[in-house]
Amino acid sequence: MKAILTLASVLGVCGLAAALGDKVDLVGTWKCEYEIGGQKRESTLMVKKEGDKLAGTMSWPDQKEAKLKDVKLKGKDLTFSAVREFMDNKFTVEYKLTMDGDKFKGKGAAEFGGEKREFDIEGKRDKKAK
């Protein structure tokens, strides 16, 4: 019985250490790259903590600081949306990113002309801005 309790305690501590080791640190500035219509594009994602919630902004070379909406982190998957303004049009872009240390890969999706289109996006943390 003592051996079982010892083993359970060891496994519990190891499980807790593993769970803490998987904690994703999102706070900071992230440089994003993606391609739409054969053209390479860039944006900047800024993530911060407001109390116990995540918040932030997304900006593009021709548009500054759109607030992130519905920011959620589940495991290593970060989801949020941001309103993009381009050529007098506004559309919501939904993002689903998989975080991996100081890098991420994922998808962005928006509706254009009644059709939902996806694009690949990847990024890395801007070490200078942290």
Side-chain angles (χ1 to χ4, degrees), residues 81-101:
S81 64
V83 175
R84 176 79 164 104
E85 296 180 29
F86 185 71
M87 296 174 55
D88 296 328
N89 294 307
K90 290 184 181 184
F91 47 93
T92 300
V93 184
E94 298 171 349
Y95 294 92
K96 182 173 183 179
L97 312 176
T98 300
M99 311 309 288
D100 184 14

Side-chain angles (χ1 to χ4, degrees), residues 29-90:
T29 301
W30 300 79
K31 297 297 181 185
C32 311
E33 296 180 347
Y34 55 101
E35 187 174 307
I36 294 179
Q39 293 184 351
K40 290 191 181 266
R41 303 185 186 250
E42 296 179 348
S43 61
T44 302
L45 170 64
M46 294 180 66
V47 180
K48 60 185 177 178
K49 287 275 260 186
E50 290 183 350
D52 61 345
K53 294 186 178 189
L54 292 169
T57 60
M58 186 79 130
S59 60
W60 298 265
D62 61 348
Q63 178 188 339
K64 303 297 178 203
E65 297 191 358
K67 282 190 173 187
L68 304 183
K69 297 179 182 178
D70 302 319
V71 184
K72 293 184 179 97
L73 178 65
K74 186 172 184 178
K76 292 186 177 188
D77 292 331
L78 175 67
T79 58
F80 62 92
S81 64
V83 175
R84 176 79 164 104
E85 296 180 29
F86 185 71
M87 296 174 55
D88 296 328
N89 294 307
K90 290 184 181 184

